[in-house]
Amino acid sequence: MISSKSKARPGHEKNHHRREHRRVSWCCSFTVPPQSPETLVYSKTPPKPESLSKLNSTSFPNSPQSSRLGLVSRIDPRRILSPGRVSPIDSINSLAESIQETCQVENVVGSVGEIEDLEVKKKEKRESLSEVKEESFDGVGIFDVRLCLRGKNGGSLVLELSSEVLSANSSVFADLIANWRKGSSQICRIEVPDVENLGIFRETIELMFEDDITKRLLNIGVYRTIYILEVAAGIMFSKGILSCLKYLEAVPWSEIEEEKLRNLFTRYKFDDATTIDILARLYLDDTAGSQQNLASQLVWSITTSGEASARNELKSFVKGLLCESSVYEKNQPDLSKEDIYAVCQSCLSSLISLFEEASDGIPHEKLSKKDAAKPLIERISRQVDNINWLLEILLDHQIAEELVNMWADQGDLIKMHENASPMVRYELSRVSAALFIAIGTRNLHCRSDARLRLLQAWFGPMLLDFSWLQRCRKGLDMKTLEEAMGQALLTLPLKHQYVLFMEWFRCFSKQGAECPNLSKAFQIWWRRSFLRGSETQAVESR
């Protein structure tokens, strides 16, 4: 209310009345605090998107549900993204409208000067908005497409783009924009639902505006480039696909990146001319005949190698490659049983020749000058190591039964073992020890007659060489060997156990600690043969 005192001073009254009225209208004429860009109020029910076009099965990658472009719809006109931004902002025009819609005025503003002030503010806002658009569109063209990406796990991303750039780079977007141009809308609004990775999709779109895509991919890296290639393939971004393929072909891949590329090439088919080099790195050409015997070639190379350090390193490496439980296993070449046993037979033949040389003292004619210059014991030890290594590979593939028969039938080696020096002949018992351990630890399954022939042939030589094995173990666990020998004997029929256990008993009584300790297995055999036999007879008599 204006006081009577102020009527005496008209000029002062007018100014005072305007200041007071402004203060009152700002503080009191609103039922709620005035809105600001930080506290905008939006409608709880945004307008429902309207489809601009209907396309048949337009695929967008990084969207697991999307082998078709779900909804091509309108976006809330009050939600836009300033060009080049990552996260959406609100329109300046909608800001003034939102304030007018949500604010309730209690007192009517009757002053003509205040109405003029509001009009000035609106004009300034429109001018500022037009200035922003001019700066953002400078040098790029008109941004007449509003692309809304809806994340699969929530979140969204709005991009304002040029229809000319999108149409020139993507045939999918070109069809959508062509349908939009038939209508009357000024802005083309496209919505992509269920996008798995918003950042990857945005980077793929940004490549359309790059002059040198390959240079940009160098900064992105291989891992993200594979995902970008997937998106580019889905939206048919030909220039991006070609650039990604050229970059990926020129750089090395990690194991994870290689697997992702394999999966990608099974889901998308690219031009053969651009992918031939990548496919050559991913898949082996089976037409080459040399690849069929790749595993046997590796084995042959190792068993004939004369360099001890390199041979030992390659043995563990190739065994890991050929092992069925290997971490390197993918589409490994099949290990031929015939090829591996051919290598075993070659090693056995070399071993026989070396023991003949040890008996005659004359070097074998087939030996090379390099091998002939090495000590005999070293050459024998190398062949024994080869046989034991081959046994490990055969055990991994569960095809080691025939090696038991091969070793049991080595009558010539057994005869030469009797006459050879103890420091040479004990090498043969290393092969026997490996077979005994495999049988006693249940890793090698063979017929009863094969086990019997093996033990009858090599159990006696093992008793003679046990003391040398204790001195020169070469990685052999003697406690494990003793237990395995006892368990292997217990797999034979009782009458054959009797013969072999009595042979051990006589040897142990003479040599003591230089003979393997099979007392535990002997006790088991004793109970099975006598105590349990009498108990069985007592049960049958009852």
Side-chain angles (χ1 to χ4, degrees), residues 3-19:
S3 64
S4 59
K5 184 178 179 180
S6 61
K7 295 180 180 179
R9 300 175 62 185
H12 178 73
E13 174 189 355
K14 186 177 180 180
N15 295 334
H16 178 74
H17 177 271
R18 179 171 297 181
R19 288 195 303 268

Side-chain angles (χ1 to χ4, degrees), residues 49 63 72 235 264 365 445 455 458:
S63 178
V72 181
I235 63 177
L264 181 61
E365 296 179 357
H445 310 135
L455 288 167
W458 291 103

Side-chain angles (χ1 to χ4, degrees), residues 130-197:
S130 62
E131 289 175 0
V132 171
K133 288 186 176 180
E134 289 174 2
E135 292 176 0
S136 302
F137 300 162
D138 185 22
V140 183
I142 300 176
F143 284 76
D144 51 0
V145 176
R146 192 166 295 164
L147 179 63
C148 180
L149 309 177
R150 303 290 183 185
K152 176 185 175 183
N153 299 322
S156 61
L157 185 66
V158 180
L159 301 174
E160 288 190 347
L161 306 165
S162 170
S163 61
E164 296 181 2
V165 176
L166 287 180
S167 300
N169 288 278
S170 170
S171 59
V172 173
F173 287 130
D175 294 338
L176 295 173
I177 293 171
N179 292 333
W180 159 71
R181 285 173 177 166
K182 296 177 183 179
S184 58
S185 177
Q186 295 182 355
I187 297 180
C188 177
R189 294 179 174 88
I190 302 175
E191 180 173 318
V192 184
D194 297 330
V195 177
E196 185 174 348
N197 193 318

Side-chain angles (χ1 to χ4, degrees), residues 251-319:
V251 296
W253 313 320
S254 65
E255 291 285 333
I256 298 176
E257 293 163 352
E258 181 180 346
E259 288 301 322
K260 288 186 178 297
L261 277 176
R262 287 179 184 274
N263 295 333
L264 181 61
F265 274 80
T266 57
R267 290 183 286 116
Y268 292 93
K269 182 171 180 59
F270 302 96
D271 182 25
D272 294 338
T274 58
T275 59
I276 185 172
D277 293 332
I278 293 182
L279 293 176
R281 291 175 58 179
L282 289 174
Y283 302 102
L284 183 66
D285 186 6
D286 295 332
T287 59
S290 60
Q291 302 297 337
Q292 297 178 357
N293 299 322
L294 177 60
S296 60
Q297 291 177 15
L298 296 176
V299 173
W300 274 107
S301 298
I302 292 176
T303 54
T304 56
S305 174
E307 181 63 32
S309 59
R311 184 174 64 252
N312 294 333
E313 184 175 352
L314 289 175
K315 279 181 178 180
S316 59
F317 175 68
V318 173
K319 181 177 177 292

